Amino acid sequence: MPGVRGGVIRGRRGGLALALPLAAALVASGCGSKKPTGPVVSTAPGGDGWHRRVVFYQVFVRSFQDSDGDGIGDLAGLIDRLDYLAGLGVGALWLMPVYPSPLADSGYDVADYRGIHPDYGDLETFRLLLDEAHQRNLKVMLDLVVNHTSNQHPWFLESRQSSDNPKADWYVWADAPAGDCRESNVIFGSERWTLDEARGQYFFHEFLPAQPDLNFRDPAVLEEVRGMMGWWLEMGVDGFRADVPYQYVESWPDCWYQPETFAIHQQMRQTLDAYPGRAMVGEIQGKPEQVLAYLGNGSDAFHLVFYFDAMYALWGAGSGGDPTDLALAVQLAVDDTPPGGVVAYTLGNHDMFRTPRTVSEDVAALKIVATAQLTLPGAPFIYYGEEVGLLNGQEVVVDFRDQARTPMQWDGSGTAGFTKGTPWIAMADGVKTFNVAEEDRHRDSLLAHYRSLIALRNATPALQEGSYEAVAASPLGVLAFFRRHDAGDRLVVLHFGVEGDVIVEIPTPSGWATALTDEVTGQTSGEVRDGVWRATLPPRTGLVLAPAGP
Ligand code: BGC
């Protein structure tokens, strides 16, 4: 099979020895049907390509650090924690919405695109945050929530006045519900049209009635949005995470993935490209081909797209031990990503449960999925608190997703160092165990693992930008791949298996005739004989191998 290196994995389960040629395992998992892979990334015009190298970190400001004792996280609190983030090794922050908002959807209902919610601070503090972050080499990306606004946004208040005011067409109005959506955003209810008494017409909303959809078919809307993006970019914001950009335009019953959306994203991209070194990541749900389409030709649409299929596959590999779905998802992305485009790997976010629920409460499982996320060919996005293993919370203030939005846990005190007041939402369980101070005391903690893996990635061009070459994906639990780069190749071997050791044999490239070092631990791993590396791997072990130094 071209591009797939031969090798053998033997598992010992209940005394039974299983032998599986790797190529066969790849065929069985579907990976073998794909052509060998070329470089995953290439240099796109505009900027130095930082978005292809850094580890991203998603922050819910409301829950990160409170500076004034009101129980609500704020920008000043985030500034106080920038040293922690720089020390963790991340290179870019995505801030969930910080704009003025009635918070019907935790800020995803924006009432003013050019301001800061008073709970979080003001524009002056935001400018300070930008400055302080940039001094520490941290990029700052804002959430771009323009599929809809809040129903309290002045545009909507004006639009609903009459059918002939200047903003009459800025939202999607109809005398009667004009159609339902085939797809549904289930947690927001089934109604998509709501009667507005003032205007005497129905308005369309993909989400809550408090989140009326903007009408991108009116060119003035995109013009205004691009102006607003430019305003933040001018200030120094490094880019955006675009909220549901595949839902901007509807042709009922098709409300998602309408071809018209592409032209909109291209124009947004042009706005970004006017400023060097900016990037935007699109939140696209869907099949891999639907998701990757939003990368356009690699340099005319989103710089990055979230790749949720891989997230589900990471959960599966981490919990059940079989990485074959993950291998398939990765290979699909590698084969079909346009040059210059990047897929983003997540383990969770503000819409998902916390990883101890989706993966496992076993720290070894959380470590192996983190190792995978940080070594696969794409951009890793860490959701705040994931690095210490935050558990789901119990209290619901807005909706059930609050379970994954509880305060960051900095120490083992009652409110975990998050606030001196009463937190806006009850802390999650496990504050005493899963917190930064406690995990900093243990060399084998999850946090220590994140720190060392991120440092390794930051120091290793092959892990950041190297091409990907599959070696093996076996239901016995092993996923192995090369990351290749002129600065030096790496062999990543991940044993997701939950029980039992496996014996792995992988032919090494010429020039790798000596012992191999696992760069995660700094220890020699296995042995190389006759051009084959051979090792016995306990369950949930991840290795990043390089030829041992002279
Ligand atoms: C965000 C959600 C939000 C929704 C509406 C999304 O996909 O991630 O948190 O509720 O868009 O803005």
Side-chain angles (χ1 to χ4, degrees), residues 105 108 148 188 207 241 243-244 283 350-351 401 405:
D105 184 10
Y108 285 93
H148 46 269
F188 298 89
F207 297 92
R241 172 267 188 186
D243 190 64
V244 295
E283 182 216 7
H350 61 294
D351 294 327
R401 293 171 298 171
R405 299 177 182 185

Side-chain angles (χ1 to χ4, degrees), residues 23 29 64 225 316 353 416 450 504 536:
S29 72
F64 202 60
V225 165
F353 288 130
Y450 268 92
V504 183
T536 302

Side-chain angles (χ1 to χ4, degrees), residues 370-452:
T371 307
Q373 185 197 15
L374 289 159
T375 55
L376 285 170
F381 275 70
I382 297 170
Y383 182 46
Y384 83 96
E386 216 159 67
E387 73 275 25
V388 291
L390 238 66
L391 301 175
N392 272 357
Q394 312 284 340
E395 195 186 355
V396 168
V397 175
V398 180
D399 62 53
F400 77 94
R401 293 171 298 171
D402 286 344
Q403 292 175 71
R405 299 177 182 185
T406 58
M408 179 64 180
Q409 295 170 186
W410 300 102
D411 62 38
S413 66
T415 55
F418 163 69
T419 179
K420 291 193 166 53
T422 306
W424 69 275
I425 189 169
M427 306 296 299
D429 288 342
V431 167
K432 282 197 165 25
T433 316
F434 306 110
N435 68 73
V436 173
E438 179 63 22
E439 296 195 29
D440 266 343
R441 276 194 280 277
H442 301 282
R443 285 173 50 192
D444 63 348
S445 68
L446 183 61
L447 178 58
H449 183 75
Y450 268 92
R451 281 191 209 285
S452 59

Side-chain angles (χ1 to χ4, degrees), residues 58 94 96-97 104-109 143-148 185 187-188 206-208 211 241-247 283-285 308 349-351 399 401 405:
Q58 177 186 349
W94 149 28
M96 287 163 60
D105 184 10
S106 302
Y108 285 93
D109 47 325
D143 222 309
L144 185 68
V145 190
V146 294
N147 173 70
H148 46 269
N185 294 310
I187 66 167
F188 298 89
E206 285 261 15
F207 297 92
L208 299 171
Q211 295 166 293
R241 172 267 188 186
D243 190 64
V244 295
Y246 59 105
Q247 300 186 31
E283 182 216 7
I284 321 286
Q285 304 279 351
F308 295 112
N349 65 35
H350 61 294
D351 294 327
D399 62 53
R401 293 171 298 171
R405 299 177 182 185

Side-chain angles (χ1 to χ4, degrees), residues 270-283:
Q270 284 162 19
T271 300
L272 260 87
D273 282 349
Y275 299 84
R278 316 299 165 102
M280 62 177 178
V281 52
E283 182 216 7

Side-chain angles (χ1 to χ4, degrees), residues 128-164:
L128 183 63
L129 167 71
L130 273 184
D131 196 39
E132 294 283 338
H134 288 164
Q135 282 181 35
R136 292 166 177 79
N137 250 330
L138 291 164
K139 309 284 183 187
V140 178
M141 301 170 92
L142 287 178
D143 222 309
L144 185 68
V145 190
V146 294
N147 173 70
H148 46 269
T149 69
S150 159
N151 61 356
Q152 301 306 309
H153 196 293
W155 300 344
F156 186 71
L157 298 180
E158 187 177 337
S159 188
R160 64 184 291 228
Q161 296 301 314
S162 64
S163 49
D164 59 1

